[in-house]
Amino acid sequence: MDFGRVTPAELEELDFKLPAEPLFNKKVLKGKPVKKPQAWLGCAKWGRKEWIGKIYPKGTREARFLAEYVRHFNSIELNATHYQIYGPDTISKWDAPAKGMEFKFCPKVPQAISHFSNLSPATAGPKTTSFLEGVLAFGKHLGPIFLQLSDKYGPAKRNALYDYLASLPTDLQFFLEVRHKEWYEDEAVRLELFEKLRELKVGAIITDTAGRRDCAHMHLTVPKIFIRFVGNSLHPTDYTRIDDWANRIKYWLDNGLQEVYFFMHMHDEALSPDLAAYLADRIEAVCGLQVKKPQFVKE
């Protein structure tokens, strides 16, 4: 993912410290841990040829990539659905390799809806119905569905956004990612957004990337988190950032967080499994939660 990418020189100057805990979160977290919190870790795509010989066995063919992926991660941020609406038949084929496993597919809302419809009922409504009819074929493996708005979609259009979110089925978990800077620059607009999401029980995605520190906002609108982390090719700060995240997640778990969804992105995706494995170790050591982690091919 190139969102928030900076130059090597800029990277050396950045302060990656996570923002302070917002008072807002006390509205969402009950102040004591739940009995069985869950942690889900994954990447954005399974079709990574650069993982052959790293976590996929040498000689693995593309048709086997998903079957190999589910051996190393227990979730995926499913970007494939952003580019096309798939029917139940295709979704069922994707779901098959995860049969019998604790695994979550987290499909991304198609760009035909999120970027090109202005979220109007006439255009977004029928497409949303088709999209949901497809992804429901994941069954118990369906995780949160995430809506990523274009960086051109600002608060001036927020009424259309709120109406669209209110039209979504309440028995499915949705998360929202906004990128237009005006969502974050005006405190009143920002808090109105988070309050509306809390009312609608829609999660607020937290995106931690170098060049857009405003997107690492730390606000929880449901007792679950969906973190999109963009590393910088195993730069030393990648590890200290993960350490900070483990500590923040521990605090949230202690105060009632139910589920963690953490998705690893890297400008060089060949290295995503390395940092994902480090994260899994830190989550276990700091938070006491075990999460499936990549197993590397032995030479």
Side-chain angles (χ1 to χ4, degrees):
M1 186 191 342
D2 282 336
F3 179 63
R5 190 168 193 166
V6 299
T7 66
E10 291 171 324
L11 182 60
E12 298 300 330
E13 300 298 322
L14 276 172
D15 179 5
F16 281 107
K17 185 177 180 181
L18 296 177
E21 180 69 5
L23 289 174
F24 181 94
N25 291 352
K26 290 185 179 294
K27 298 180 180 181
V28 176
L29 299 180
K30 295 183 178 180
K32 59 181 181 180
V34 299
K35 288 185 178 180
K36 293 183 178 180
Q38 293 180 294
W40 309 90
L41 171 62
C43 296
K45 299 178 180 179
W46 62 72
R48 293 291 181 187
K49 293 182 180 180
E50 57 265 55
W51 292 351
I52 298 174
K54 184 166 192 145
I55 60 173
Y56 297 170
K58 292 179 180 179
T60 300
R61 296 183 177 183
E62 289 188 40
R64 286 283 307 165
F65 281 178
L66 178 54
E68 289 298 329
Y69 180 94
V70 299
R71 295 178 56 245
H72 298 283
F73 300 97
N74 66 354
S75 189
I76 187 164
E77 184 195 278
L78 189 56
N79 276 343
T81 55
H82 188 55
Y83 303 102
Q84 182 179 337
I85 294 177
Y86 293 93
D89 289 347
T90 298
I91 298 298
S92 295
K93 290 177 182 177
W94 288 349
D95 182 61
K99 184 178 180 180
M101 295 183 176
E102 291 291 323
F103 189 90
K104 296 293 183 183
F105 292 89
C106 301
K108 190 174 184 178
V109 171
Q111 60 184 354
I113 299 167
S114 60
H115 287 53
F116 306 127
S117 76
N118 282 321
L119 303 182
S120 68
T123 53
K127 289 183 173 68
T128 299
T129 298
S130 296
F131 164 64
L132 293 178
E133 286 175 348
V135 299
L136 284 173
F138 282 128
K140 67 178 183 178
H141 292 144
L142 178 61
I145 299 165
F146 75 107
L147 170 66
Q148 177 197 87
L149 294 182
S150 162
D151 56 7
K152 296 178 181 178
Y153 197 106
K157 302 177 182 178
R158 61 186 178 274
N159 288 336
L161 169 63
Y162 298 157
D163 288 345
Y164 176 75
L165 294 175
S167 75
L168 296 172
T170 56
D171 60 340
L172 298 174
Q173 180 65 68
F174 292 87
F175 273 80
L176 173 71
E177 180 186 52
V178 293
R179 291 183 167 187
H180 194 294
K181 290 187 176 182
E182 288 181 8
W183 289 108
Y184 302 106
E185 290 172 343
D186 186 316
E187 184 178 7
V189 169
R190 183 173 70 250
L191 291 178
E192 177 196 276
L193 171 67
F194 293 138
E195 186 58 45
K196 192 67 177 180
L197 295 183
R198 188 178 74 88
E199 286 177 22
L200 295 171
K201 295 182 172 56
V202 173
I205 286 177
I206 299 172
T207 304
D208 185 345
T209 186
R212 286 293 304 275
R213 303 310 299 155
D214 52 345
C215 295
H217 54 75
M218 298 296 113
H219 286 74
L220 307 183
T221 57
V222 294
K224 305 175 183 181
I225 56 169
F226 190 123
I227 299 162
R228 307 183 78 213
F229 182 96
V230 186
N232 293 289
S233 302
L234 304 184
H235 186 273
T237 56
D238 287 352
Y239 296 97
T240 56
R241 290 165 66 196
I242 291 297
D243 292 344
D244 287 346
W245 268 115
N247 291 329
R248 182 62 62 98
I249 291 169
K250 173 67 162 61
Y251 176 82
W252 285 335
L253 289 168
D254 287 347
N255 283 277
L257 189 71
Q258 297 171 3
E259 284 188 286
V260 177
Y261 289 86
F262 200 111
F263 295 103
M264 192 64 66
H265 296 259
M266 197 78 72
H267 302 311
D268 178 1
E269 292 291 359
L271 300 172
S272 290
D274 302 74
L275 198 57
Y278 181 79
L279 170 66
D281 288 339
R282 297 307 298 153
I283 292 294
E284 181 173 0
V286 176
C287 305
L289 282 181
Q290 287 192 331
V291 59
K292 183 183 286 188
K293 69 176 183 178
Q295 301 297 314
F296 296 91
V297 174
K298 295 181 180 179
E299 295 293 337

